[in-house]
Amino acid sequence: MKGRCEVERKKIFFAGPSVMPVEVLTEMSENLVDYHGQGLSMLEASHRGGMFEDMYDETLALIRQVMDIPDEYEVFFLGGGATLQFSMIPLNFLKKDGFADYADTGTWSGKAASDAKTIGTVRLAYDGASSHYTSMPDPAAFKPDSAASYLYICSNETVGGIEWPAYPETGNVPLIADMSSDFFSRPVRVKDFGMIYGGIQKNLGPAGATLLIIRKDLLESRNSGLPTYLDYGTHVSQKGLYNTPPVFAIWAVKLVLDWIVRNGGLAGMDEKARSKSSLLYDVIDNSGGFYRSPVDRRFRSRMNIVFRLATEELENELIAESKKLGMLGLKGHRSVGGLRASVYNALPEADVHALVDYMRDFQARKG
Ligand SMILES: *Cc1c(COP(=O)(O)O)cnc(C)c1O
């Protein structure tokens, strides 16, 4: 394939939108104007036509295959970002006279809980405020109230850099997880969940779509009387094609899934994630305190490695220099400061080695 190795690529540590496999970008560019000789672009294709629908069906089948999703789950895409789900979930599943349990582990689960409060009663089954969102409950011991409509968790807190190492067992209470930032980065036992969803722009493609996986019996028990678009039933009854789907983003997901399959599937992604994140945590842990990880090590994210230096000046210096070396996105989220290296599936291990070398060199000069 032309172009693949000719471009000098930056090292892309952005938290989202984020790095995509260069093979996927190349394949998209080669088929952008003329999709596999069909004389039009996927960008121009009708979502009611064969060219899109063939690709769409393949994508849904690939998602089921890669994630090993049982038949009793519906799979579809929506626009509106993961953020739209913060209200759609309680609208559909928070029982009118009931309550929902939320584990508030940081920015994203906090936003979800706050939206749910505008719709119904929320019980914080875990409140991370006292630990400044640097820790999480022990998944083996964590239980929702048995009367809760569901338990909501965020699988990986992208801003705080903490991740559930395993998921709580919730019995009859449906477990709902936002997997936006660790989607498809490790095998997941789908049957333990009522619903899994995530924006695709971290591990699965460009911005513009959210992928939803919902168990059919949960769907059947949803609240009635919702506006058409906000009712999950609308989308599943139309195979996810009630309105115009994010065609371009879905095509990209298809190609990223092919890439995941070629690279060892979810077990392969997990192995890569562990080795890449360990490289960074090792530099931090072996820096004699020059670099510091603020998070409980039992819950360290394999995706977003958050770290601090002694002063903000030093942090800014490191970020400014890193840009000159072609490393992008190392500045921490504006709400927490510090540094953050996002090492999603598509980030080459070589880029992590480059960052590690640079961090060691920076410490040697400034430490
Ligand atoms: C990025 C992110 C979101 C928000 O996604 P949008 O698509 O921008 O709405 C939600 N949850 C998590 C965990 C995220 O990382």
Side-chain angles (χ1 to χ4, degrees):
M1 260 183 255
K2 65 178 181 291
R4 180 176 295 176
C5 303
E6 290 152 22
V7 188
E8 172 91 35
R9 296 260 297 162
K10 302 274 190 194
K11 296 166 180 60
I12 302 159
F13 296 98
F14 285 126
S18 44
V19 62
M20 301 247 314
V22 69
E23 295 94 326
V24 169
L25 297 175
T26 305
E27 192 168 339
M28 293 189 90
S29 68
E30 284 172 356
N31 287 288
L32 185 65
V33 176
D34 179 12
Y35 184 79
H36 297 289
Q38 301 208 38
L40 76 163
S41 174
M42 188 56 80
L43 289 170
E44 301 164 310
S46 166
H47 65 293
R48 308 285 178 205
M51 184 169 127
F52 168 76
E53 281 189 314
D54 290 349
M55 183 278 291
Y56 180 61
D57 290 341
E58 276 177 52
T59 309
L60 295 181
L62 260 172
I63 292 166
R64 285 187 181 276
Q65 177 203 319
V66 171
M67 235 180 140
D68 195 15
I69 301 174
D71 288 343
E72 60 264 31
Y73 288 77
E74 299 282 358
V75 178
F76 59 102
F77 291 93
L78 287 180
T83 301
L84 176 61
Q85 301 312 309
F86 299 168
S87 48
M88 278 182 81
I89 289 165
L91 282 171
N92 281 267
F93 300 135
L94 208 171
K95 300 246 170 18
K96 289 268 165 16
D97 300 316
F99 62 93
D101 271 9
Y102 278 69
D104 182 5
T105 52
T107 304
W108 291 113
S109 52
K111 286 190 180 188
S114 143
D115 263 3
K117 279 179 199 156
T118 69
I119 289 156
T121 305
V122 166
R123 190 184 80 105
L124 285 193
Y126 172 80
D127 184 353
S130 61
S131 75
H132 302 282
Y133 305 102
T134 59
S135 191
M136 283 185 162
D138 172 6
F142 187 63
K143 294 274 175 270
D145 187 303
S146 61
S149 298
Y150 55 83
L151 169 65
Y152 182 101
I153 64 169
C154 175
S155 181
N156 179 69
E157 287 285 359
T158 324
V159 175
I162 53 173
E163 182 176 27
W164 288 86
Y167 297 108
E169 292 196 6
T170 58
N172 290 330
V173 177
L175 177 61
I176 298 184
D178 173 1
M179 290 195 187
S180 295
S181 54
D182 65 354
F183 232 177
F184 290 78
S185 73
R186 59 180 172 186
V188 165
R189 222 169 39 224
V190 174
K191 69 173 180 51
D192 292 348
F193 294 83
M195 169 173 174
I196 295 171
Y197 77 97
I200 64 166
Q201 71 271 25
K202 277 109 187 189
N203 256 336
L204 212 51
T210 300
L211 174 62
L212 300 98
I213 301 159
I214 313 181
R215 208 170 58 218
K216 288 176 185 167
D217 65 345
L218 178 60
L219 277 166
E220 278 155 20
S221 73
R222 73 188 185 280
N223 295 323
S224 55
L226 294 172
T228 314
Y229 191 89
L230 300 178
D231 180 349
Y232 288 128
T234 302
H235 302 283
V236 298
S237 69
Q238 313 264 336
K239 231 184 91 186
L241 301 177
Y242 167 68
N243 71 324
T244 318
V247 168
F248 186 67
I250 292 172
W251 177 35
V253 169
K254 156 81 172 63
L255 299 177
V256 170
L257 289 165
D258 288 337
W259 177 88
I260 289 176
V261 170
R262 289 198 299 276
N263 285 277
L266 298 191
M269 295 301 111
D270 191 23
E271 202 182 305
K272 268 162 51 110
R274 283 176 197 281
S275 84
K276 286 187 295 188
S277 57
S278 297
L279 284 167
L280 285 163
Y281 288 121
D282 284 349
V283 182
I284 294 165
D285 292 342
N286 296 322
S287 69
F290 184 78
Y291 299 110
R292 188 169 52 76
S293 160
V295 304
D296 184 338
R297 60 171 65 226
R298 292 174 299 161
F299 304 106
R300 284 174 164 180
S301 171
R302 299 161 308 126
M303 295 283 121
N304 311 98
I305 290 82
V306 167
F307 59 100
R308 311 269 346 200
L309 282 82
T311 65
E312 246 176 76
E313 288 69 45
L314 219 43
E315 291 174 345
N316 290 334
E317 223 179 305
L318 187 146
I319 293 162
E321 264 190 26
S322 71
K323 287 184 191 156
K324 292 186 197 135
L325 297 169
M327 299 177 187
L328 305 180
L330 291 174
K331 196 171 167 46
H333 191 268
R334 60 188 185 283
S335 64
V336 293
L339 290 104
R340 170 176 57 177
S342 297
V343 299
Y344 296 122
N345 286 348
L347 184 81
E349 186 143 347
D351 292 5
V352 179
H353 282 289
L355 174 57
V356 160
D357 290 345
Y358 165 56
M359 284 170 68
R360 290 214 181 93
D361 172 66
F362 188 82
Q363 180 177 1
R365 283 182 286 119
K366 312 280 178 180

